[in-house]
Structures are given as C-alpha cells and as structure tokens.
Amino acid sequence: MADAEEVSNKQVIFRDYVSGFPKESDMYMTTSTISLKVPEGSKAVVVKNLYLSCDPYMRPRMSYTTDSYIHSFKPGSVISGYGVAKVLDSGHPNFSKGDLVWGFTGWEEYTLITAPESLFKIPNNDVPLSYYIGILGMPGITAYAGFYEICSPKKGEYVYVSAASGAVGQLVGQFAKLIGCYVVGSAGSKEKVDLLKNKFGFDEAFNYKEEQDLVACLKRYFPEGIDIYFENVGGPMLDAVLANMRVQGRIAACGMISQYNLDKPVGVYNLMNIIKKQIKMQGFVAGSYFHLYPKFLEMILPHVKEGKVVYVEDIAEGLESAPQALIGLFSGRNVGKQVVLVARE
Amino acid sequence: MADAEEVSNKQVIFRDYVSGFPKESDMYMTTSTISLKVPEGSKAVVVKNLYLSCDPYMRPRMSYTTDSYIHSFKPGSVISGYGVAKVLDSGHPNFSKGDLVWGFTGWEEYTLITAPESLFKIPNNDVPLSYYIGILGMPGITAYAGFYEICSPKKGEYVYVSAASGAVGQLVGQFAKLIGCYVVGSAGSKEKVDLLKNKFGFDEAFNYKEEQDLVACLKRYFPEGIDIYFENVGGPMLDAVLANMRVQGRIAACGMISQYNLDKPVGVYNLMNIIKKQIKMQGFVAGSYFHLYPKFLEMILPHVKEGKVVYVEDIAEGLESAPQALIGLFSGRNVGKQVVLVARE
C-alpha cells in the first residue's frame, strides 16, 4: 500500500456510555491517518465529509442498548451519523470519483465506507448541499412518512406538532398547511415561536416553557380537539395531547426527546383515551421508508425550488464544533436543523 | 291507551355516579309498569328481554363523563346494555311480533326500544340464544375486528392475550390458533388458566397474580418477543408488554379493566418502545365495526357449529342477580362471558 496516499484525519471519538444528560466531554477530538484510496479489490468508497447531521436519535445511541433499531456508539470509536460527502475514490460500480452522496458516514474528515450501497447519490441541482441531511434527507423522509403515510391527513383537520421548529417539525407544519389543515406548533423560545408563525406559516404557535397546564393550553388552541399529533417530545406533552385528541385521531410517534436523558422515563397516565377516542398511535423510523425517497423527492423538490416550502438550518462551522452542536440539541439551543459544516466542496 | 295492556316491569336502576370500585348498592331493583303495545304511529318495538350482557365497558359509564364514545348511565334511570330479546309488538317495518333480536336494551323485563334500527335480527338456527350477546354479538365482533382488522396477524406470529378467558379474550386466542399463531394468555385464577390451555387451546397460559415481575414473566413465555398484543387490562401489564414487543408489533387496545376503578390511572413508562420497535397501538370499539357483522357471522358460524371454536359462559339466573354479576367482572369472579338470564323464550 502506498503510504504516500495517507493523509491525516481529524475525528470525533465517543468516549464511553452516557447516563443522564450528555456533555461535550463525552466526545473528544483525535487525529489519525487514512488512505484516500480504497483497498485493492474492495467495493468500498473513500469520501471527504462536507456536512454532518446532529439528530436527536443519536442520544439513545450514547447509552448501552441491544434492543433498538440501531446500534449504540462504540466507546473509543468514531461517532457515526448522516452526512453529505464527496467520493474521492470508489471500488463500487455505482459510485465514481467526484460524486456527491448522502448517507451514513463518520464524524471525521475522511471516511472509508465499506458498504456504500445504502448511500444516495445527490443529483446536480441548485439546492444547498446541506439540505441532503435535512429537508431532502433523513429528516425530510421522516416528516413525509410520518405525516402522509401514518397520519393520512385530510383537509381541514386539526394538527399539532411538538418540537415544531426542529429538523422534522418545521416540515410537518408546512406539509399540513399544503393540504389545508389547521396547524399549531410548540417550541421552547420566543424566537422559535416567531419562526413557526412568521416563517413556516403555522396558524398558531406557543412556547411550552411558559405553560403551567399543558392540558388547558392545548384545549385553548384546539377547542375542537386534535386530529393528528406529530410526536417529537414524549412525557407530559404526550399525556396532555392524549387528553385532547379527537375520535379516530392519529399520533405519529417520531421521537420523545424529553425522555432521552432521564434515567427513568416519566409516566404517561391518559392512555385510556386511546380506547375511548379510538386513537392510532404508531411509532416509526425513517429507515423503514427509504423506499419512498424517489416519490418524496418528486413531491418536495418543486416546492423547495419555488420557495413554497422553506427550511431553516443552524450551521456550526468546523468538525471541532460538532460535539457542542450535538449536545445543544438536548437543551434546544439550535434554531432549526442542526448541521456541522466540515468542509466546503 | 288501554291500561289493560300494561304489565308490571321489574327494573335495575342506576343509583348515582360511582368513583372507585362499584358496589351492588350502586344499583337497586324497582318495579314499574309498561304497555306491551307500541304507541300509535310510532316506529318503536316493545321487547321481552331474555338475556342481558355484563361487559367491562359498563364501568366507565357508571362515572360522569362527557368525552367518551358512549354516554354515562343516568342516575335514577334503568341500566342499559346489550341483550337478547323477543319482539312483542312492533311499529317498525323491519320487525314483527315473535322476532328474536339482539342489541341495546334495558336491564328490565320489558323494554320499549324507540330506535330499533340498530337491533340485529337473530336467524333461526341451532346455537344457544345467549351467544348473541357473546361469541355472536358485540364481544365476537370485538375479537374479530381487533384481531383481524387491527393486528393483521400472520401464521407463526407470537400473540399474547390478557384477560384471556373473558368474553373477548377466549375468542382472540382461538382465532390466533386458527391461523397458526403461537398464543399465550393470562388470567387471574388456576381454573381460568386451565380453561385457556385445555378448553381454548392456548399454547401456554399463566396466572398473572402469581407473577412478581411481569417483564421477566413475559420474557419467559416469549423469548423471541411479542408480535401481537390484544390489550384488555392496561396499567403495569401494558408496560411489561411494551418492554417485550418485537419490531413492527401491533397492539389492539380493546380495554384497560385494571384502570377502570382507580381515581387516577397508573403511569405507563415504556412508551419509547413504540418508536424503537415501530409499534402500532390502536384503540377501537366494536361499534365502529358493526358493518363487518355479516362477514364475521359467515366466518364464525361454521366453526361454532362444528365445535372448532368453543365459548364458555357464566350465566347468572334472574334479573335480581344482574347487579352482583356486573360487579363481579371487576374482581374477575366470572369464568367466561358473564350473562344474565332474565327469561326463557
């Protein structure tokens, strides 16, 4: 092997399993080396990472678990997650040097991806590359599958979205408006509430941190009750929603970020409403809907190009900023989709 | 009106709204009079009640509620519920004197039913009449809709049924065996557990009252996890099931009898599994599936006549025994479907 082709590679390493609230020090930076050529005969690709995605589902991966749809991070190893990257060398017939791709990669400058079949090629168009870890990537498919496939929305229905300014929530709200629903979102700051109302076109929005009684609060915003709840937070908010659902309501359970840092989750008490109101509550993960990606792109791209669907990102500059950016998700520091810019194309 | 056609009518009256565990004294017997002729020009029917049904959903009706799919009982008025009855006089073109019907009626000897459109006529066949408030009535449709429509069962799947010897559970278990599932049931006594294994053909059964750790117990019976849970009890059992569900599992939420007599429901903590395992949990009520009744009868009647599906009833004799029979549901005193025999045809 040609040592001359090895370059230094900054990496974000996962230190050890976390309980409670994660800290920046649960990750550390290191520098190793990597060959920019794929091993002889392998079907791998070597990529240069451009954008990395910080997503709430990464928190459960920081704890030891064997029963989830995704593996825990490995202590002492590089963090993995969604990213946008450029192919530097390819042993795989589907990919060529220079291709832009999105998919699972490492939190490092360069990554050897040994099973590149799961990567998506990014077509040559004029949308920002970072969108492929947001509106045009996993969060986009998540919003699309959860709202359209699980909730079967109808014009005029009452829709509530929690964590509504986040990577997924901001899209759900805009999808709901596209088909003529009434949509209310909640978030954790005045700035976010303003975004919901003024940028994303939610009919109403509120700061959940200012509400003492969530059941009464939702009753104010939904005097007729909620047909569709897009669940991103769990815990007491889910309980309050259950008490406000309408008959034959639907809950797409996408995430429960309020519970991820607790040693023991909080209890939910209002589940009898699931029977009384004939509610469907369905959990889902984007990975089960990737087959819909072409259909989703066909639907979303015209809206994005015409500015009918907008997307707000919170971009942290530099791989070194990645740990802080990830941790920030759990205190709601990010405004919009949290992205880490590693390198420009 | 001809007073001569009035007869005395024993009735079970609902005393007042209940909190906590209901008692026999929450109901009382009285005797009024009723005309056995329908009022001139009305489309009502007058029926003689033969069998009355005791069902768990009647407990929430004993509390004051405005947000359920069914009204509370009215203090000072006769209890209402499903029954099998004989038409004595009819102003409705669909019904004639002598017809046997099942549907909503009163807990009394005779009832004037003013909206008889919702009654089902009982065909002339050789199954016991009481079956029309059990296996061939609302509990039958409940088991059928919940299992086939909501859970979409497949051969070889792992099915768990709580309150498994009850009016609905015993059928769900037999349906699961019919299509080749592995099915485990739980109940609250040795007698019931024996029934599950020896009469209804469950693969395994256990007495939940003898189990200290429900999570570990279910893990023993389902080392591979649970694909389908037919939920009749709620509370800690639901929590333990959530911890044992398989990916893309389904929960038909039919009832939560463990919660009906509590002032405050107990908390459920393991809802994160709904996302991690991509579980669908769906509440339902039989009333939304009555349109499937003909299809259901077509499926079930041959099985009943051939003895391939069996049904165990617990029959209390006499209208006076009705309050005790109803209360007994909530301590699990009944073995099988609780029926009250008011009069023989």
Side-chain angles (χ1 to χ4, degrees), chain A residues 110-319:
Chain A
Y110 304 98
T111 303
L112 176 73
I113 299 176
T114 54
E117 296 78 11
S118 65
L119 296 174
F120 292 90
K121 269 206 267 201
I122 295 177
N124 189 1
N125 59 30
D126 52 1
V127 295
L129 269 184
S130 56
Y131 276 19
Y132 286 91
I133 48 173
I135 184 170
L136 302 178
M138 182 277 282
I141 302 171
T142 302
Y144 179 77
F147 187 63
Y148 290 105
E149 297 288 313
I150 290 179
C151 296
S152 309
K154 290 186 287 291
K155 185 178 175 178
E157 286 194 314
Y158 299 99
V159 176
Y160 173 53
V161 187
S162 56
S165 67
V168 174
Q170 56 177 293
L171 284 178
V172 175
Q174 293 179 83
F175 290 163
K177 289 314 300 174
L178 281 179
I179 63 164
C181 294
Y182 179 86
V183 59
V184 178
S186 59
S189 73
K190 184 179 181 311
E191 179 185 9
K192 293 177 184 179
V193 168
D194 288 345
L195 264 184
L196 293 178
K197 290 202 273 195
N198 303 323
K199 179 109 184 163
F200 302 130
F202 284 62
D203 294 288
E204 287 287 350
F206 65 91
N207 181 349
Y208 71 92
K209 291 178 181 168
E210 291 174 351
E211 299 293 337
Q212 298 303 306
D213 179 343
L214 290 172
V215 173
C217 165
L218 289 172
K219 180 74 98 186
R220 278 202 316 278
Y221 285 104
F222 295 98
E224 307 287 322
I226 298 166
D227 292 298
I228 290 175
Y229 174 46
F230 199 99
E231 162 69 308
N232 288 314
V233 303
M237 183 63 88
L238 174 57
D239 234 355
V241 168
L242 285 167
N244 279 283
M245 288 295 286
R246 296 184 93 186
V247 167
Q248 299 192 328
R250 289 134 273 158
I251 299 175
C254 174
M256 296 190 175
I257 196 170
S258 76
Q259 305 298 296
Y260 296 167
N261 300 314
L262 306 177
D263 289 334
K264 190 187 176 199
V266 301
V268 170
Y269 297 87
N270 293 327
L271 289 167
M272 255 306 291
N273 289 284
I274 286 186
I275 299 173
K276 286 200 296 184
K277 307 287 183 62
Q278 306 172 55
I279 293 165
K280 179 179 87 166
M281 178 168 178
Q282 187 164 350
F284 71 106
V285 300
S288 296
Y289 292 92
F290 277 177
H291 60 284
L292 298 180
Y293 187 61
K295 191 175 153 200
F296 164 64
L297 268 194
E298 197 177 316
M299 173 268 194
I300 191 81
L301 268 176
H303 288 305
V304 172
K305 289 183 177 173
E306 290 165 27
K308 284 193 183 158
V309 171
V310 297
Y311 202 61
V312 170
E313 299 174 308
D314 192 329
I315 300 184
E317 294 243 359
L319 187 64

Side-chain angles (χ1 to χ4, degrees), chain B residues 10 31 52 98 101 104 122 125 140 164-165 191 197 216 226 229 256 258 286:
Chain B
K10 277 191 290 186
T31 301
L52 297 174
V101 296
F104 237 60
I122 296 177
N125 60 29
S165 69
E191 181 185 7
K197 290 202 273 196
I226 298 166
Y229 173 46
M256 296 190 176
S258 76

Side-chain angles (χ1 to χ4, degrees), chain A residues 67 265 268-269 278-279 281 283 288, chain B residues 265 268-269 278-279 281 283 288:
Chain A
D67 70 344
V268 170
Y269 297 87
Q278 306 172 55
I279 293 165
M281 178 168 178
S288 296
Chain B
V268 170
Y269 297 87
Q278 306 171 55
I279 293 165
M281 177 168 179
S288 296

